[in-house]
Amino acid sequence: AMHPSRRLVATGECGRKPKVLVWDVDTCEPCQTLVGFHEGAVVQLAFSPSGQKLATVGTDVEHCLAVYEGERAQARVTGRVRRGRVLDVAFGEGDVLVTCGDSAPHIAFWQREGYKIAKRRGVFGKSAKRQPVLCLTPVGALMLSGTVSGELYVWSGRNCVKAILAHRGSVNALFTCAHGVVSGGVDRKVKLWTLALEPGATFDMSAFGS
């Protein structure tokens, strides 16, 4: 996970007691070690927009979620995601956390309550069919998710309010910056979108192979 300052990167290990290391990108040296909570591996990480919080997800039976704050080396808030793979985690507006995965399928919105974090399931409603959710990115006050069918689901709070066809086949990667949103799909296309989610340029990556 890249820190908002672009000067730090967090990585997760495999192992009986896997570490989370925070690295200085200039020196390539670790500047913080977080250990003691997760078991098996740390598979998803995300910094909050302020950079003061780091969310991590492990591969234990319940795929536990931890939130580290500031310079502390211990998890300040913890919760249990669910059985089944967790494919992404992202902070939304107001430091709301969102997790997604391929089991059930699952997208969940998390809010801190003391030292625990309460989970509320996303409501697909009439705007979207229930299917595996593969990736996440915040867009202002909204959350954007990529799906197996190639659609982008737009979430307001925990409700899906819009579905946008983006790729032929699964949407595997999403990224937001000050200029807009980028999506990448199994169709080997990279697409640019405005922050209002209007489509822009499309780049075909087929020439680079599989």
Side-chain angles (χ1 to χ4, degrees), residues 184-206:
V186 74
D187 57 4
R188 304 184 188 180
K189 300 291 195 304
V190 172
K191 292 190 174 185
L192 305 185
W193 308 79
T194 68
L195 292 174
L197 300 178
E198 298 166 338
T202 297
F203 300 91
D204 192 334
M205 299 289 125
S206 299

Side-chain angles (χ1 to χ4, degrees), residues 68-139:
Y68 298 86
E69 296 185 41
E71 300 299 320
R72 296 179 181 274
Q74 293 183 333
R76 298 293 293 165
V77 185
T78 62
R80 298 177 180 181
V81 181
R82 66 176 305 137
R83 296 172 185 266
R85 290 188 304 169
V86 179
L87 299 178
D88 206 356
V89 59
F91 279 92
E93 190 177 54
D95 281 351
V96 170
L97 259 177
V98 185
T99 57
C100 69
D102 61 357
S103 177
H106 127 241
I107 183 166
F109 296 78
W110 302 77
Q111 197 91 40
R112 180 170 178 170
E113 294 182 356
Y115 286 99
K116 296 292 182 181
I117 188 165
K119 178 177 71 173
R120 303 179 72 194
R121 294 180 180 178
V123 179
F124 287 85
K126 295 181 180 179
S127 299
K129 67 178 181 181
R130 295 179 61 85
Q131 59 177 309
V133 180
L134 307 182
C135 51
L136 301 164
T137 192
V139 183

Side-chain angles (χ1 to χ4, degrees), residues 129 131-132 134 145-153 163-172 174 183-187 191 193:
K129 67 178 181 181
Q131 59 177 309
L134 307 182
S145 66
T147 66
V148 166
S149 68
E151 292 177 302
L152 301 176
Y153 285 176
I164 303 169
L165 184 60
H167 292 271
R168 296 181 63 183
S170 61
V171 181
N172 295 336
L174 290 169
S183 64
V186 74
D187 57 4
K191 292 190 174 185
W193 308 79

Side-chain angles (χ1 to χ4, degrees), residues 21 28 119 162 182 194:
L21 296 176
C28 297
K119 178 177 71 173
K162 190 175 183 180
V182 185
T194 68

